[in-house]
Amino acid sequence: MPGAHRSTRRREVLDVLRTAAAPLGVAEAAERIGVHPNTVRFHLEALAGEGLVERHVLEPSGPGRPRTVYAPTQGMDRGGTRGYRLLAQMLLSRIAATGPDARSTATEAGRAWGRSLVEPPSPSRRPTAEESAGQLVELLDGLGFAPDPEGGRVPSRIRLRHCPFLELAEEYGQLVCPLHLALMQGALAELRAPLAATGLEPFAEPDACVAHLAPAPQQTAERHA
């Protein structure tokens, strides 16, 4: 990640540019920091490569070469740490606090996202069970579940050997696991698949959760407007 291991000196150069009233040249920045201009030039070029600093060439007001100055790129530093897990915990705790409606809220969200994550077939075509299972496995793999289908060309079980939300599932399993099942159900519904995700066993095996598939009744396999 750019900036994750930025040196103390490089941060100092960036801070000098951010506190300056106008773009600075190499010599000006070096004077303010108290180091050799070559040192500052090295860090300025590195910061420019990270997209944190912009170069500007000023035309000379008289005889002489054009002058290059540097200014910080507008916007927040994208090299900092992220707190997505904390955000997820905050949202899940708020949903959990709604009481009896919490599970249905998570389920609705999962189904909606499942529909949005797949491309529906053309109106004149309905995928086979094998094709639908393949697309579901591909989706789960892309999301980081490390799926392992079992039961032949049309699997009856899919072992999920990795959970990309493991810590959240351990803390809020009553919401996260139904959401995972609903995500699969939403994806299969959007695909108009002749398959249904009928259940999800959290931590059914020492190293995997297990999702169950079965033929879908005609009325549930059809997509409704």
Side-chain angles (χ1 to χ4, degrees):
M1 178 186 296
H5 304 289
R6 194 174 304 137
S7 69
T8 301
R9 180 67 71 195
R10 193 164 301 172
R11 287 195 297 270
E12 187 177 8
V13 171
L14 185 58
D15 288 341
V16 164
L17 293 181
R18 285 174 171 165
T19 56
L24 299 178
V26 171
E28 294 169 304
E31 183 178 358
R32 296 191 183 198
I33 298 172
V35 297
H36 195 278
N38 286 344
T39 300
V40 171
R41 182 177 288 105
F42 168 78
H43 290 298
L44 284 171
E45 291 303 315
L47 289 167
E50 293 180 21
L52 296 173
V53 164
E54 297 176 344
R55 301 184 195 87
H56 302 279
V57 178
L58 304 181
E59 293 298 328
S61 57
R65 299 170 56 187
R67 178 168 171 258
T68 300
V69 296
Y70 298 82
T73 302
Q74 294 299 311
M76 296 187 71
D77 185 354
R78 304 189 70 85
T81 58
R82 301 290 189 267
Y84 295 128
R85 179 179 169 186
L86 174 60
L87 175 62
Q89 288 175 309
M90 292 165 63
L91 295 174
L92 285 169
S93 66
R94 184 67 187 92
I95 294 174
T98 61
D101 295 332
R103 188 184 181 98
S104 61
T105 299
T107 299
E108 290 174 11
R111 285 181 179 148
W113 271 101
R115 287 181 177 274
S116 71
L117 292 174
V118 296
E119 189 71 27
S122 62
S124 61
R125 183 178 179 278
R126 182 174 174 181
T128 65
E130 183 178 350
E131 291 171 333
S132 302
Q135 288 180 276
L136 178 62
V137 169
E138 184 178 350
L139 171 63
L140 293 172
D141 188 47
L143 293 174
F145 285 97
D148 182 16
E150 298 178 342
R153 298 171 67 179
V154 181
S156 58
R157 296 172 15 125
I158 301 177
R159 296 175 66 248
L160 306 176
R161 295 178 289 109
H162 178 263
C163 179
F165 316 109
L166 179 59
E167 291 79 12
L168 295 172
E170 290 173 337
E171 187 174 359
Y172 294 100
Q174 76 279 13
L175 299 179
V176 175
C177 297
L179 188 149
H180 290 167
L181 175 61
L183 186 146
M184 290 184 272
Q185 292 170 338
L188 291 171
E190 186 72 6
L191 293 170
R192 299 201 300 277
L195 283 178
T198 58
L200 175 64
E201 295 182 77
F203 312 108
E205 300 176 5
D207 61 344
C209 299
V210 176
H212 295 271
L213 303 180
Q218 183 69 19
Q219 63 269 25
T220 59
E222 294 295 334
R223 180 187 177 201
H224 298 284

